[in-house]
Every structure is written in structure tokens, then in C-alpha cells.
Amino acid sequence: MKLYYSPGACSLASHIVLEEAGVAYSAEKVNLREKQTESGADYLAITPRGAVPALALDGGEVLTEGVAIMQYVMDSAKPGALPAAGTLGRARLQEALNYVATEVHKTYSPLFRGLEGAAKEAQLALLDARLKVIEDRLADGRAFLTGTEFTPADAYLFTVTNWSRPMGHDLSRFPRIEALRARIAERPSVQAAMKAEGLLK
């Protein structure tokens, strides 16, 4: 398998999950502005969506969308590591993944476009409201988003909340999320993926 990524982008979550799964894979950086891979390939020829992550499979197919990639990797490489399809546990995992994708990730996205003044303040307030839902969910003492076990939802939340600091967004008002982030950051898979992307020395 081959992961196409941009350092620190949402593709980091898929990178973490590939490390967590312990599978053999390669990774290639993509210049999203130029739509070109590090080796000079036309990224739009790999995926017309032009976004990361994309995972090229051994059979020649390309899988996109991090939520799909992360579940596919874990299900195929470590069967049984995630809750089984059709169980409430799997529905809870998908609930968490979709909340991070649609409510948290997509609330960060406009901040990349240089919002200023009242518009930025309003977007940050919306982000805080989205994160408070997670902060409140963690009030039951759970170690990770869906319970006692690390899942792709944790990798995804860690990845997107990494964007707070460069955006001037204060996470300190969410101490449970900060504690969760600290637990996730200690995982060897997270450190390996971040080092591979040049995010850690």
C-alpha cells in the first residue's frame, strides 16, 4: 500500500493508523497547491479529488477519504481490532469518526482561509462548541473517544486539534481533550508517523 499525504494535514490520521496496524506501506508527500507528488507525478491522475489522504492499494485501486481508509486498514490488517460490523461498538466508532469529520474538521477548515475579525471570532466560537461536545463526552473518565481502547477516531481527533496552536486557538479550556491528546501523543505509532512527516525530530 502507498499513502499519499501532506505533512500535518488530515492525512496524518491515516498515517498513524497505518503505523498502528503494523502493515508494510510506503508514503509519498503531495504538494496540494501544485497537485504534484514528491516524485513529480500528477496527483490528479492518482485521485481526481486532488485531496489527501489517498491510499493506493496493491491491486491498483485508490481509496480516498480518511474515515474509509482508516477502517479499511485496521479491518484488513488486524481483523477484530475494531468492533465488528453491525454491533453498537462499531456504530459508536463510526459516530465518533463522522463527528470529527463533519463537525470538528470542517469547522477548522474555514480558519485556513484567513478569516479575520468578527468572522474569525464566530468561527472559533463554533469550534469551541463542537469541542465542548467531546469534552463533555470524556467526563465519564473514558481513556479514549469511544471507551477504553485507542481507535482511528482518536488518531483523527489528535490530528485536527493539532491545528489549534498555529491558528491561535486555545485548547486549555478543554482539559480532558488536552489529557486525551497527551495520551495519544505518547503512542509509538503517533511518534513514528509524525517523525516521518517531519513534524517531530
Side-chain angles (χ1 to χ4, degrees):
M1 293 186 289
K2 184 174 188 177
L3 176 70
Y4 293 93
Y5 75 96
S6 179
C10 59
S11 49
L12 174 61
S14 295
H15 209 159
I16 290 168
V17 169
L18 282 161
E19 286 289 333
E20 193 78 27
V23 296
Y25 73 96
S26 61
E28 185 167 357
K29 185 162 58 174
V30 177
N31 182 323
L32 291 175
R33 184 168 295 174
E34 302 293 331
K35 303 300 182 190
Q36 189 173 59
T37 73
E38 195 167 35
S39 65
D42 177 6
Y43 190 54
L44 292 175
I46 296 166
T47 170
R49 298 180 189 189
V52 293
L55 186 68
L57 305 177
D58 293 341
E61 291 196 51
V62 175
L63 186 62
T64 62
E65 304 302 322
V67 168
I69 289 170
M70 290 185 284
Q71 291 180 88
Y72 171 79
V73 166
M74 291 302 293
D75 285 337
S76 60
K78 297 183 78 172
L82 299 182
T87 64
L88 179 59
R90 187 55 166 248
R92 289 295 188 196
L93 171 59
Q94 292 171 334
E95 175 185 51
L97 283 166
N98 281 289
Y99 185 81
V100 175
T102 63
E103 303 297 337
V104 183
H105 182 169
K106 292 307 178 186
T107 303
Y108 274 103
S109 296
L111 296 166
F112 285 105
R113 296 193 279 273
L115 291 181
E116 295 182 357
K120 182 175 182 179
E121 289 178 17
Q123 194 66 27
L124 289 173
L126 180 59
L127 176 59
D128 283 347
R130 301 290 190 246
L131 292 174
K132 187 177 185 303
V133 172
I134 296 173
E135 181 76 5
D136 292 347
R137 178 66 65 92
L138 295 171
D140 63 3
R142 64 183 63 196
F144 296 102
L145 275 182
T146 61
T148 60
E149 301 296 325
F150 175 88
T151 72
D154 299 292
Y156 197 2
L157 181 68
F158 176 81
T159 295
V160 297
T161 53
N162 279 343
W163 303 335
S164 279
R165 181 176 291 180
M167 290 177 176
H169 175 248
D170 183 10
L171 279 176
S172 67
R173 72 198 79 184
F174 305 108
R176 296 185 193 101
I177 290 177
E178 287 208 312
L180 173 60
R181 282 178 44 77
R183 286 192 294 277
I184 295 168
E186 291 174 354
R187 298 182 76 82
S189 60
V190 175
Q191 295 181 19
M194 293 186 76
K195 285 177 182 174
E197 295 193 10
L199 304 171
L200 279 181
K201 293 183 179 178

